[in-house]
Structure formats: C-alpha cells, structure tokens
Amino acid sequence: MNEIAQRMTDKINIDERFSRITDYWNPHIAGELNGQMVKLVKFKGEFVWHHHDAEDEMFLVVRGAFDMHFRNRVDRVGEGEFIIVPRGVEHKPVAIEEAWVMLFEPASTLNTGNVVNEMTKAELPRL
Amino acid sequence: MNEIAQRMTDKINIDERFSRITDYWNPHIAGELNGQMVKLVKFKGEFVWHHHDAEDEMFLVVRGAFDMHFRNRVDRVGEGEFIIVPRGVEHKPVAIEEAWVMLFEPASTLNTGNVVNEMTKAELPRL
C-alpha cells in the first residue's frame, strides 16, 4: 500500500476526535468516502428549522441525547441510536444538554440546508 | 409529514438491531441514504482477502474489536473506532472474539468484493 492509501486508512478514535472540538453546531470532518462525509458535531441548545432539498442526513448519537423536532412530532435520539432524515423533510435538532453526534451525509451538505444565517458553516474544519 | 416519510425517519437503536442478528459475516441493512447503506454485521473468525474496485468502505466498531489486515500491516479497530478502506485496497477482517460492526458503503457493495465464494452474500436481509 502506498503512503497515501495508508494515511487514508488510519483508524479514527471517535471520542478522541470529539475531544478536539470546542464549539457547538460546528461540524468537523472526520472522514470521507464515496462522496459522502463523516462529520462530528457537538450539539447544545436549539438549532434552526431547515431542510435539505437533495440530501438525506444521518444523525448518530455517540454521547448524550437530543430531540429531533419534525413539524408533526419530536423524536428523542439517545446514545447508540441513529435517525435518518430524508431530503425535503423539515427538522430542527434541540439538545438540552451537550450531545455528541456523528453525521453521515453528502460532501455538499450545508448544515443549515435551505436557510442561511449566523449558524451556517460554509467551510468545515478537518479533524 | 406523510406516513412514508415518518416511517423513514423512525429512529434506530443499534444494540437492539444487533440483537436480531444470529449469524456471522452476514450484513443486515439497517438504513439507506443517498444511495449508501448502513449495514450491521457480526464478525467472528476470519474473512477472505478481497478489495472493491469502485467502492470505499467504512467499518465502525460498536462492540468488541477486530483486526483489519492489509497486505503490509494489521490495524486493531476497537469499540468506538472506525476505519475507512479506500477502493482498490486489499483487506481482510479477522475477529478473534465476536465483534459488532456498522458498515457504511454504497448500496451496490458486495461483501466479498472481487471474490465470490461461500461467504458471498448477494441478497442482504433488512432489519
């Protein structure tokens, strides 16, 4: 295996990567494959209502819990659980306590979807 | 939200889904998004050397640990860790004890890649 392939295959310790994140609602890139990205983000507080026109999103809770608000219901997603939000479906994550969340979504996905405001992160840091 | 979207967004408890799996090396589909699949698989023993021509694969360990053999080294991947194997890179997972692994990969990915043998699973069960 050449050096690039070896670097690409280095294993990632999820907790260790989360320990480098010091802010909320700021997804960090932890991996990339097949045009999709693995992002790590700390949630705390209330995000904005939004949807993604062309992208499905997966939220996997590594630590803590958060509430995924849909227009007709709220789902509590706890540690060791994941939820997939299909494209076009409005949603708003809310975390009363800090939650560590792994996202799996296309590289093109903007965190606030169809909304652009002060929570929008156009450029994501890499861990 | 209509009924289909609601069903698609039902949250998944990973341990509970793993508890339904009774065999080894048989990936079960637990989710689908953006043409990618989330698969759950129990490893025990030795798999076959193989590669995927056009697909990168992510292995996230939910319980236990396994060794990812590459042609020039071996990486131990433990609970809470993941590894991405780029397309074209030969690999062979080996688990001395049972390990629970979540896979992220394109829907088209065949478990044994370029090899077809008695471990090949052409049709995957859904959880």
Side-chain angles (χ1 to χ4, degrees):
Chain A
M1 201 180 331
N2 65 30
E3 202 187 317
I4 292 171
Q6 171 145 0
R7 214 163 47 232
M8 285 182 66
T9 60
D10 281 350
K11 73 169 178 184
I12 303 286
N13 183 291
I14 298 169
D15 279 357
E16 187 278 322
R17 295 298 160 111
F18 267 111
S19 75
R20 305 182 191 181
I21 301 177
T22 56
D23 51 359
Y24 296 116
W25 305 114
N26 189 16
H28 288 57
I29 299 167
E32 193 163 2
L33 70 164
N34 305 301
Q36 314 293 307
M37 279 184 174
V38 182
K39 300 174 185 172
L40 304 183
V41 56
K42 290 184 176 176
F43 286 177
K44 192 175 181 186
E46 185 162 338
F47 203 60
V48 290
W49 278 109
H50 68 284
H51 71 272
H52 306 274
D53 281 329
E55 294 129 334
D56 313 318
E57 268 192 307
M58 176 167 164
F59 300 77
L60 189 159
V61 177
V62 173
R63 193 171 293 188
F66 75 98
D67 292 319
M68 185 63 88
H69 290 246
F70 298 105
R71 287 297 185 187
N72 65 346
R73 74 183 207 278
V74 177
D75 264 11
R76 167 62 56 103
V77 188
E79 202 166 304
E81 296 182 331
F82 71 83
I83 192 166
I84 293 173
V85 179
R87 58 196 70 190
V89 174
E90 279 197 295
H91 58 286
K92 180 180 74 165
V94 176
I96 296 166
E97 305 286 341
E98 179 175 301
W100 294 8
V101 180
M102 174 180 277
L103 305 174
F104 190 65
E105 56 191 21
S108 57
T109 307
L110 191 65
N111 65 329
T112 52
N114 62 312
V115 175
V116 175
N117 69 6
E118 74 285 357
M119 300 188 100
T120 301
K121 303 287 185 189
E123 301 233 349
L124 303 185
R126 282 183 186 266
L127 287 170
Chain B
M1 199 180 333
N2 65 30
E3 201 187 316
I4 293 171
Q6 170 147 1
R7 214 164 46 231
M8 285 182 67
T9 60
D10 281 349
K11 74 169 176 183
I12 303 286
N13 183 291
I14 297 170
D15 279 357
E16 187 278 321
R17 295 298 159 111
F18 267 112
S19 74
R20 304 182 193 181
I21 300 177
T22 56
D23 50 0
Y24 296 116
W25 304 114
N26 189 15
H28 288 58
I29 299 166
E32 195 165 359
L33 70 164
N34 306 301
Q36 313 293 308
M37 278 184 175
V38 182
K39 301 173 185 173
L40 305 183
V41 56
K42 290 185 176 176
F43 286 177
K44 191 174 181 187
E46 185 162 336
F47 203 60
V48 290
W49 279 109
H50 69 284
H51 71 271
H52 305 273
D53 282 328
E55 294 128 334
D56 312 318
E57 271 191 307
M58 175 168 164
F59 299 77
L60 190 159
V61 177
V62 173
R63 192 171 294 189
F66 76 97
D67 292 318
M68 185 63 88
H69 290 247
F70 298 104
R71 287 297 186 187
N72 64 347
R73 73 184 208 278
V74 177
D75 264 11
R76 167 64 54 104
V77 189
E79 202 165 304
E81 296 181 330
F82 70 81
I83 192 168
I84 293 173
V85 179
R87 59 196 68 191
V89 173
E90 279 196 296
H91 58 285
K92 179 181 75 166
V94 176
I96 296 166
E97 305 287 340
E98 178 175 303
W100 295 6
V101 180
M102 174 179 276
L103 306 174
F104 295 96
E105 55 192 22
S108 58
T109 306
L110 191 64
N111 65 328
T112 53
N114 62 312
V115 174
V116 174
N117 68 6
E118 73 284 357
M119 300 188 98
T120 302
K121 303 288 184 187
E123 301 234 349
L124 303 185
R126 281 183 188 268
L127 287 169

